[in-house]
Amino acid sequence: MQEKNPKTRSVPIRFTPPEFDALRVASRRAGLSVSSFIREVSVAAAMQRLASGDNDREGT
């Protein structure tokens, strides 16, 4: 079964060990992989910023 919206873009990102540990715990609690959790949380935050007009750091 093919995805309706295939993911074709990637963003390399690095975390400190404590940051990654926090992400791992939070993703397990959410029942998601770390990648899925990061994608879900970051996209939700981006959409919220766009909706609120908070674009002070646009393009960074």
Side-chain angles (χ1 to χ4, degrees), residues 13-38:
I13 186 168
R14 294 179 187 264
F15 297 100
T16 64
E19 290 171 336
F20 188 80
D21 288 344
L23 289 167
R24 186 173 51 223
V25 170
S27 67
R28 282 185 185 158
R29 288 181 181 171
L32 299 168
S33 67
V34 173
S35 295
S36 292
F37 180 79
I38 292 169

Side-chain angles (χ1 to χ4, degrees), residues 14 22-23 31 43 46-48 55:
R14 294 179 187 264
L23 289 167
V43 170
M47 299 301 273
Q48 184 176 16
N55 61 356

Side-chain angles (χ1 to χ4, degrees), residues 3 9 17 21 23 46 54 57 60:
E3 289 185 59
R9 304 286 184 172
D21 288 344
L23 289 167
D54 182 7
R57 299 188 325 188
T60 60

